[in-house]
Amino acid sequence: MTAELLQGDADGAAAEHHAAPSRVTYLVKQLESAVRQDLDARLQTQGLTTPQYAALSILLRSPGLSSAQLARRSFVAAQSMQVMVAAFVRNGYIERRPDPEKKRVLRNYLTTEGTEVLRRCEQEADAMEDRLLAGLSAPQISAMRDAMAVCVRNLAGSTRR
């Protein structure tokens, strides 16, 4: 995004020529909202929400997480994750197994059906990302990824100063 982007009014119309550029944080929030809205609509065809898709994606990369660990990595409350995990078990997307050392801790694993629904969701996410990045060159996309990664690192683990 460039400094030439101008903050829109409540109706989304462009601000006047002399208006100050939008804050980067405002544009990030607008982008996050647009991504979430588009992805939610696409994932609805698979019967999932964006947070549910995120949780299944995390389990694919990190099998055997507890529900508490999965909640933290998915940016949802532990109580919300408990509801999500119960639905995943009901739908046959995950199975839970006791931790070999801590029998009271249940570990979550994707099932074959969970892997399949996740594969279909990945296709939807790919289509959304293609739409999101349309018109950007490969170097622009690379620079965008790099810049966002730096911003995340800059704020990761930081506290208000």
Side-chain angles (χ1 to χ4, degrees), residues 6 10-11 18 30 36 40 69 74 102 111 124 139 148 152:
L6 301 178
D11 295 324
H18 62 278
Q30 277 189 308
R36 176 71 185 262
D40 274 343
Q69 291 169 320
S74 300
K102 301 175 187 172
T111 63
E124 295 292 347
M148 290 190 311
V152 168

Side-chain angles (χ1 to χ4, degrees), residues 3-156:
E4 289 83 357
L5 288 174
L6 301 178
Q7 184 169 348
D9 63 18
D11 295 324
E16 291 185 33
H17 172 67
H18 62 278
S22 293
R23 294 186 68 83
V24 170
T25 51
Y26 179 75
L27 292 170
V28 167
K29 182 58 180 170
Q30 277 189 308
L31 179 58
E32 187 272 336
S33 293
V35 165
R36 176 71 185 262
Q37 184 176 7
D38 191 287
L39 198 52
D40 274 343
R42 290 172 184 275
L43 296 176
Q44 189 176 30
T45 64
Q46 301 305 318
L48 294 180
T49 64
T50 299
Q52 290 170 325
Y53 162 65
L56 291 178
S57 296
I58 291 164
L59 277 180
L60 179 68
R61 291 188 305 279
S62 301
L65 293 175
S66 69
S67 293
Q69 291 169 320
L70 187 56
R72 281 190 295 278
R73 292 189 187 185
S74 300
F75 307 106
V76 300
Q79 292 168 325
S80 297
M81 185 54 68
Q82 291 296 354
V83 172
M84 212 181 290
V85 165
F88 289 157
V89 170
R90 243 186 348 267
N91 291 329
Y93 298 158
I94 67 168
E95 64 180 2
R96 305 186 84 196
R97 298 182 217 145
D99 183 285
E101 296 171 15
K102 301 175 187 172
K103 300 293 183 196
R104 296 180 68 191
V105 174
L106 293 175
R107 301 288 173 184
N108 298 294
Y109 298 89
L110 283 178
T111 63
T112 302
E113 182 150 349
T115 302
E116 180 56 29
V117 76
L118 181 57
R119 184 192 63 73
R120 292 190 306 268
C121 288
E122 290 290 349
Q123 291 174 335
E124 295 292 347
D126 288 345
M128 184 278 304
E129 197 165 292
D130 288 346
R131 183 172 170 226
L132 169 74
L133 300 172
L136 295 175
S137 67
Q140 287 173 314
I141 294 168
S142 180
M144 182 177 170
R145 274 194 184 100
D146 292 346
M148 290 190 311
V150 168
C151 292
V152 168
R153 280 194 306 274
N154 288 345
L155 295 178

